[in-house]
Amino acid sequence: MKNESIWKINNRSFKTKELTNDLKTDILIIGGGITGISTAFYLKDKQLDITLIEANEIGSGATLNTTGKITFLQGLIYHKLENIFDFNTSLKYLQSQLDAINLIEANIKKYDINCDYLRNSSYVYTNKDSEIKEFLKEQQFFDKVNLDYKIINKLPDDLDCKYGIKVDNTAIFHPIKYLYKLTEEILKTNVKIYENTPALKIEKLDNHYNIYTSKNIITANKVIIATHYPFFVMPGLIPFKTHLEKEYVLASKIDKIKKYNAITNNNPITSIRYHQDKENYIIFASIESKLSKNLNNEANFKNLIKKFESKFSNKITNLWFTYDLITNDKLPIIGKLKENLYIATGFNKWGMTNGTLAGKILSDLITNENNQYINLFDPEREITMEQIKNFFVDGFTTISSMVDSKINKNKDFYENVRFKKINNMECAIYIDENKREHIVKNKCPHMGCSLIFNNEEKTWDCPCHGSRYDIDGNVIKGPSNKNIKL
């Protein structure tokens, strides 16, 4: 069994390098996942000087850990958006997701992308009588917009289902194969891509930005932040407008795939989809909570396996987890953050459609082209009562998780981790099977939270905003962009 995503590819056809010198560019894109690569892809033929930098490798972050669904049936989102905003806003979000599916399919057809793309049906369902009234509200919205759907009380696997909704014309794919092919097409143009080049700081000067990496300064007229979570707090106050949720995922070999994907309505969700490559797989996700809760990864993976084995008897091949950035008004944050600074984040579990859509929106903003979704996802959109309420909830979550991480450092599930001060610095120590000590600073550079040791993957994880470090303190995932080596 591998502690890594099923989408991980150990070889690829394109090559990039690390940035080794200072650089000037018109447009700098920070982040090499679905959003950053899609943005560069839609800008590649615009005769602009474009540079993309990625802290690690292309597609090694949130895109690698997704379940790879391409669907507009995203839980019961539409009646909720109608309550928070209005009918037109909810309808426009639905149209945006349908357009995103078409954008992905158009790219696959035009560039003959072999990414295991398959049109299938999507289900959202429940096993709780108390939730059926929410489904009825969603149906009322679908009826108003004349969307075809079916009511179901059974899944194709004969899994338990008291009530559900089925729609067609959704899809699944291999996200990294798709991303790699877009990258190949980008590299055929004048767009420059640099891997292993983390952005550490961004500074606004008179008419441009300076972006500092560990070795260089990049001067850019416009900057696009396409990271899963921005590496700064200001501007935007993203930690107070969002919260992170963590979801545990497994893959298992199966004899025959079924052409559907499904998700339950409320947390903790159960998510199912199938994947056909050289072999057939089922991808099963569950055991979900806010990032600062349920911190025992080993126990959570055991619970995931137990839940899967209660429904299926297939051999598990892969285990991993994913983070989702949830916005306080249920809409992604895509667009202009301040003068010549753009952002895309907060995709609410649906990064494949919203990351693709963000690439098109940001491209159109840069080139001053019309896009009907610019106002919908505007980072400075009109504040609703739901936003105000959840601003305090998310703000409290951020602050309380920071405080709790300081007070309750020594978790009861630790067996080989201890803490002590070294030269007046709070340190965390993991003792490996050879009795060797791995010592790191016990403070995430992003916002100062104390860290959790992940015994399953031997990493130091931030319970507040999801930064991750290897066993010796090298940063492997943001928003932090600094190491915690002693």
Side-chain angles (χ1 to χ4, degrees):
M1 190 185 306
K2 298 178 181 178
N3 283 112
E4 64 184 27
S5 166
I6 193 175
W7 311 128
K8 188 171 182 180
I9 296 175
N10 294 319
N11 57 71
R12 61 189 195 185
S13 58
F14 64 88
K15 292 182 179 180
T16 68
K17 56 185 179 181
E18 180 182 349
L19 182 64
T20 57
N21 54 279
D22 291 350
L23 183 73
K24 289 186 177 181
T25 187
D26 288 337
I27 313 295
L28 177 67
I29 302 168
I30 302 175
I34 187 72
T35 305
I37 293 298
S38 294
T39 305
F41 177 80
Y42 288 116
L43 284 171
K44 64 182 175 63
D45 300 319
K46 301 295 185 181
Q47 305 304 312
L48 294 167
D49 181 15
I50 301 166
T51 303
L52 183 147
I53 60 172
E54 160 58 40
N56 299 297
E57 295 182 354
I58 296 300
S60 63
T63 306
L64 179 65
N65 296 314
T66 179
T67 54
K69 296 178 183 177
I70 311 170
T71 178
F72 62 87
L73 191 66
Q74 301 172 359
L76 301 179
I77 185 65
Y78 297 105
H79 82 272
K80 294 174 184 177
L81 287 175
E82 189 174 8
N83 289 337
I84 296 170
F85 296 96
D86 52 41
F87 171 77
N88 288 332
T89 299
S90 187
L91 175 59
K92 203 158 196 175
Y93 182 72
L94 171 60
Q95 291 170 334
S96 76
Q97 302 308 293
L98 293 168
D99 283 351
I101 295 171
N102 291 333
L103 283 171
I104 293 170
E105 188 169 90
N107 291 336
I108 290 170
K109 289 179 178 178
K110 181 176 180 178
Y111 295 96
D112 192 23
I113 303 177
N114 178 17
C115 59
D116 310 315
Y117 180 78
L118 179 67
R119 280 275 186 170
N120 67 4
S121 301
S122 289
Y123 295 72
V124 57
Y125 71 101
T126 185
N127 283 305
K128 298 178 181 179
D129 289 329
S130 60
E131 292 183 5
I132 293 176
K133 59 184 179 182
E134 279 197 79
F135 283 76
L136 298 177
K137 293 177 183 177
E138 197 79 350
Q139 289 169 225
Q140 289 174 0
F141 175 83
F142 288 163
D143 288 338
K144 283 190 283 188
V145 301
N146 295 317
L147 181 75
D148 288 335
Y149 67 92
K150 291 182 180 178
I151 302 304
I152 54 105
N153 53 22
K154 185 179 180 180
L155 294 180
D157 288 310
D158 292 328
L159 297 178
D160 293 339
C161 168
K162 284 194 173 182
Y163 199 89
I165 296 173
K166 172 192 175 185
V167 299
D168 295 320
N169 297 318
T170 61
I172 52 173
F173 72 161
H174 190 305
I176 299 303
K177 288 182 181 179
Y178 175 79
L179 200 71
Y180 279 3
K181 181 60 176 178
L182 293 191
T183 305
E184 289 177 23
E185 295 301 320
I186 292 166
L187 289 171
K188 292 176 182 178
T189 68
N190 292 325
V191 177
K192 300 176 288 292
I193 296 179
Y194 298 97
E195 294 180 293
N196 301 307
T197 305
L200 303 181
K201 186 176 77 169
I202 183 168
E203 180 181 61
K204 177 73 167 72
L205 300 177
D206 290 339
N207 57 356
H208 66 272
Y209 287 90
N210 277 354
I211 297 84
Y212 297 86
T213 73
S214 56
K215 300 177 182 178
N216 325 102
I217 300 174
I218 303 172
T219 302
N221 297 325
K222 296 182 179 182
V223 179
I224 296 170
I225 309 297
T227 55
H228 179 242
Y229 200 117
F231 57 91
F232 49 78
V233 177
M234 293 286 291
L237 290 174
I238 301 302
F240 298 92
K241 294 180 178 179
T242 61
H243 69 268
L244 276 162
E245 293 184 359
K246 190 173 184 178
E247 183 180 348
Y248 293 79
V249 192
L250 63 80
S252 172
K253 289 183 181 178
I254 202 161
D255 292 333
K256 187 177 181 181
I257 69 163
K258 296 184 183 294
K259 291 186 177 182
Y260 89 100
N261 64 81
I263 191 168
T264 51
N265 176 39
N266 285 325
N267 291 348
I269 61 96
T270 296
S271 169
I272 299 167
R273 66 150 287 192
Y274 289 83
H275 171 59
Q276 187 174 41
D277 197 342
K278 294 178 181 177
E279 297 187 77
N280 299 323
Y281 295 88
I282 183 173
I283 299 170
F284 183 89
S286 190
I287 317 300
E288 180 182 42
S289 67
K290 284 191 175 182
L291 184 60
S292 57
K293 308 296 182 183
N294 298 334
L295 299 173
N296 188 339
N297 287 290
E298 187 172 5
N300 290 334
F301 275 124
K302 286 180 180 178
N303 289 334
L304 173 71
I305 292 169
K306 183 178 179 180
K307 190 171 182 179
F308 175 76
E309 290 179 341
S310 71
K311 305 175 187 297
F312 301 94
S313 58
N314 308 86
K315 181 181 178 181
I316 297 169
T317 60
N318 297 71
L319 287 172
W320 72 97
F321 59 76
T322 184
Y323 296 132
D324 293 306
L325 191 60
I326 311 299
T327 61
N328 56 25
D329 66 357
K330 305 188 186 305
L331 283 178
I333 298 168
I334 304 168
K336 186 176 180 181
L337 195 57
K338 59 186 298 185
E339 185 183 7
N340 293 328
L341 180 65
Y342 304 83
I343 192 169
T345 190
F347 295 156
N348 299 302
K349 305 181 191 297
W350 308 105
M352 297 303 96
T353 52
N354 284 313
T356 301
L357 199 66
K360 188 69 173 71
I361 292 170
L362 294 171
S363 169
D364 289 342
L365 280 168
I366 292 293
T367 55
N368 295 313
E369 295 180 34
N370 290 328
N371 189 300
Q372 62 176 317
Y373 303 120
I374 288 172
N375 291 333
L376 179 65
F377 301 118
D378 186 353
E380 301 299 320
R381 56 183 171 262
E382 183 179 346
I383 296 175
T384 66
M385 287 304 298
E386 187 78 5
Q387 281 179 298
I388 293 170
K389 180 183 74 174
N390 287 329
F391 180 88
F392 289 105
V393 172
D394 289 334
F396 177 78
T397 298
T398 292
I399 293 169
S400 62
S401 60
M402 291 172 66
V403 172
D404 183 67
S405 75
K406 298 291 186 184
I407 295 173
N408 302 312
K409 293 191 291 287
N410 200 11
K411 308 301 180 187
D412 56 10
F413 52 82
Y414 282 157
E415 295 180 357
N416 45 9
V417 175
R418 58 191 176 92
F419 303 87
K420 72 175 183 180
K421 277 192 174 183
I422 300 176
N423 297 329
N424 290 319
M425 185 177 295
E426 293 285 347
C427 294
I429 304 167
Y430 167 66
I431 304 167
D432 66 22
E433 61 275 10
N434 297 316
K435 306 300 181 184
R436 179 188 169 198
E437 292 187 343
H438 300 263
I439 306 173
V440 300
K441 300 174 186 176
N442 187 33
K443 184 177 181 180
C444 179
H446 176 234
M447 289 185 71
C449 295
S450 295
L451 303 169
I452 299 293
F453 187 73
N454 178 349
N455 197 50
E456 287 293 296
E457 299 185 271
K458 301 296 184 287
T459 58
W460 301 97
D461 299 349
C462 175
C464 299
H465 304 110
S467 299
R468 303 186 69 201
Y469 309 84
D470 70 16
I471 198 170
D472 294 310
N474 299 297
V475 64
I476 55 177
K477 181 186 180 300
S480 173
N481 49 25
K482 297 178 182 177
N483 296 329
I484 54 168
K485 291 182 177 181
L486 188 55

